[in-house]
């Protein structure tokens, strides 16, 4: 018959191995608006359209002024990959087309806007 310490060792020893396994991380993307803005929710499509320059207004008709993270910031690249499926080079191409045709300006970097 096995002793209690032997049984406990068999149960406890695998625990660090389980804890060492990488756990899947799920991060949500949150778009923050002014507390003065009556719009409380945006669909994913509405938020993406604001950040891609396809729409300049909130659903209630108020003007939207999107502010973006600095170019090259990992969180910025992650946002565009998750929401549009486009990487940094593809986003640069998108904004080059939008600027060339005069349809839209890219969002201002937040670091500049907060000054």
């Amino acid at each position: 018959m096995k002793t209690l310490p032997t049984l406990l060792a068999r149960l406890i020893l695998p625990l660090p191995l389980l804890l060492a396994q990488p756990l899947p991380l799920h991060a949500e993307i949150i778009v923050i608006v002014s507390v003065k803005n009556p719009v409380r929710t945006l669909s994913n499509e509405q938020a993406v359209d604001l950040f891609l320059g396809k729409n300049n207004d909130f659903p209630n008709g108020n003007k939207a002024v999107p502010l973006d993270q600095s170019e090259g910031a990992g969180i910025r690249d992650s946002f565009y990959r998750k929401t549009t499926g486009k990487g940094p080079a593809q986003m640069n191409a998108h904004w080059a087309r939008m600027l060339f045709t005069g349809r839209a300006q890219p969002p201002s970097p937040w670091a500049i806007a907060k000054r």
Side-chain angles (χ1 to χ4, degrees), residues 44-57 63-68 76 79-80 83-84 86 91 94-99 101-108:
N44 288 343
E45 184 177 328
Q46 290 169 324
V48 169
D49 285 351
L50 291 174
F51 279 90
L52 291 180
K54 294 180 179 180
N55 191 356
N56 296 322
D57 300 321
K63 177 94 172 124
V65 181
L67 301 176
D68 210 344
R76 179 180 187 262
F79 170 78
Y80 286 109
T83 59
T84 68
K86 297 179 181 185
M91 286 307 302
H94 167 79
W95 284 114
R97 281 190 305 277
M98 296 296 272
L99 287 167
T101 60
R103 291 190 293 176
Q105 295 275 331
S108 297

Side-chain angles (χ1 to χ4, degrees), residues 22-97:
L23 299 175
L25 298 177
H26 300 283
E28 291 185 55
I29 296 172
I30 299 172
V31 176
I32 300 169
V33 298
S34 168
V35 70
K36 296 176 185 176
N37 190 334
V39 173
R40 294 291 173 232
T41 60
L42 291 171
S43 70
N44 288 343
E45 184 177 328
Q46 290 169 324
V48 169
D49 285 351
L50 291 174
F51 279 90
L52 291 180
K54 294 180 179 180
N55 191 356
N56 296 322
D57 300 321
F58 285 107
N60 65 359
N62 289 347
K63 177 94 172 124
V65 181
L67 301 176
D68 210 344
Q69 298 289 324
S70 299
E71 196 169 331
I75 194 157
R76 179 180 187 262
D77 296 344
S78 178
F79 170 78
Y80 286 109
R81 276 194 209 312
K82 288 179 182 178
T83 59
T84 68
K86 297 179 181 185
Q90 292 167 311
M91 286 307 302
N92 288 339
H94 167 79
W95 284 114
R97 281 190 305 277

